[in-house]
């Protein structure tokens, strides 16, 4: 593996590229009249930025929540915008053109469904959202439920970020189902270490 030179420009270009993909995908879905919500790391970053912009963490892909019934229209809208639909490792995603990377793709999550059969809760509905600067994002409660349900390492880091800026606290334990509340307690314990 050949290493490139250290470069602020490459770092900024990577962030700008992800933001541009999110904008293009959102614009295509808006123009097609398809309800959607940008979820995942971008939603966390937007919530965190409302409190502390220095605590924002960047992400390399775009996660979009849509209704399964709308998916044929999602494919048509995103392909018309230059994205290429693929089904990889059980995930519907869109590459940014034929040479696009799976790593930086637009990943689809279906509303009201369990992403994995063993997940404790289904994903939120597309109606559980708020207006973001350029696209809808989930309500904080819907976002927290999604992160606690997936609970991968990246989700745990996002939950710590939300807690660290004061968007989460002990009062959330009572607002969540028992399995999710226990996971949030685990996050709270991890933060204290």
């Amino acid at each position: 593996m050949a290493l490139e030179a250290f470069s602020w420009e490459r770092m900024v270009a990577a962030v700008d590229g992800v933001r541009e993909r999110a904008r293009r995908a959102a614009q295509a879905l808006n123009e097609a009249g398809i309800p959607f919500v940008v979820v995942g790391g971008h939603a966390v970053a937007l919530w965190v930025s409302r409190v502390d912009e220095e605590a924002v963490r960047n992400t390399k892909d775009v996660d979009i929540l849509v209704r399964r019934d709308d998916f044929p229209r999602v494919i048509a809208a995103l392909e018309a915008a230059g994205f290429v639909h693929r089904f990889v490792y059980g995930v519907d995603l869109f590459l940014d053109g034929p040479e696009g990377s799976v790593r930086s793709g637009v990943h689809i999550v279906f509303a009201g469904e369990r992403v994995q059969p063993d997940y404790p809760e289904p994903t939120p509905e597309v109606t559980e959202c708020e207006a973001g600067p350029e696209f809808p994002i989930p309500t904080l409660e819907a976002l927290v439920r999604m992160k606690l349900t997936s609970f991968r390492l990246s989700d745990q880091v996002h939950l710590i970020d939300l807690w660290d800026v004061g968007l989460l606290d002990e009062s959330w334990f009572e607002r969540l189902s028992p399995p999710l509340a226990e996971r949030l307690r685990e996050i709270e314990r991890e933060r204290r270490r």
Side-chain angles (χ1 to χ4, degrees):
M1 166 180 66
L3 295 175
E4 300 286 338
F6 292 111
S7 167
W8 286 108
E9 290 78 17
R10 289 173 57 89
M11 290 172 45
V12 170
V15 172
D16 286 345
V18 175
R19 185 174 54 205
E20 183 56 32
R21 274 190 292 286
R23 286 179 175 155
R24 283 182 30 238
Q27 181 179 355
L29 296 173
N30 277 327
E31 289 175 358
I34 301 168
F36 72 97
V37 181
V38 173
V39 295
H42 290 291
V44 172
L46 285 167
W47 273 104
V48 167
S49 73
R50 294 182 73 181
V51 179
D52 182 357
E53 67 183 23
E54 292 178 4
V56 170
R57 193 180 300 273
N58 293 312
T59 187
K60 61 187 174 291
D61 60 3
V62 179
D63 298 318
I64 297 181
L65 181 77
V66 299
R67 294 183 189 126
R68 187 172 290 279
D69 291 348
D70 290 330
F71 194 54
R73 293 174 51 222
V74 169
I75 293 172
L78 292 180
E79 286 186 342
F83 293 97
V84 178
H85 177 239
R86 293 285 185 266
F87 187 74
V88 180
Y89 300 118
V91 176
D92 281 289
L93 58 88
F94 292 84
L95 306 178
D96 193 0
E99 303 302 317
S101 165
V102 169
R103 179 180 300 170
S104 61
V106 175
H107 301 133
I108 299 299
V109 180
F110 292 107
E113 298 183 11
R114 281 182 165 76
V115 174
Q116 298 292 330
D118 62 338
Y119 276 15
E121 293 192 10
T123 59
E125 297 297 334
V126 293
T127 53
E128 293 182 72
C129 67
E130 296 188 19
E134 298 174 271
F135 39 74
I137 61 169
T139 63
L140 184 57
E141 186 169 321
L143 180 61
V144 169
R145 287 194 329 263
M146 287 186 79
K147 291 293 174 182
L148 287 167
T149 296
S150 297
F151 214 56
R152 301 162 301 175
L153 180 58
S154 60
D155 299 307
Q156 294 173 38
V157 169
H158 286 149
L159 288 159
I160 290 169
D161 289 347
L162 292 168
W163 196 297
D164 284 348
V165 298
L167 290 168
L168 297 178
D169 58 31
E170 291 86 358
S171 70
W172 280 79
F173 299 147
E174 301 303 317
R175 297 165 64 174
L176 299 164
S177 66
L180 298 189
E182 182 50 41
R183 288 180 175 184
L184 187 58
R185 283 186 181 90
E186 192 178 317
I187 291 297
E188 198 272 337
R189 287 191 296 269
E190 188 62 35
R191 283 183 65 253
R192 287 194 217 172
R193 290 185 183 190

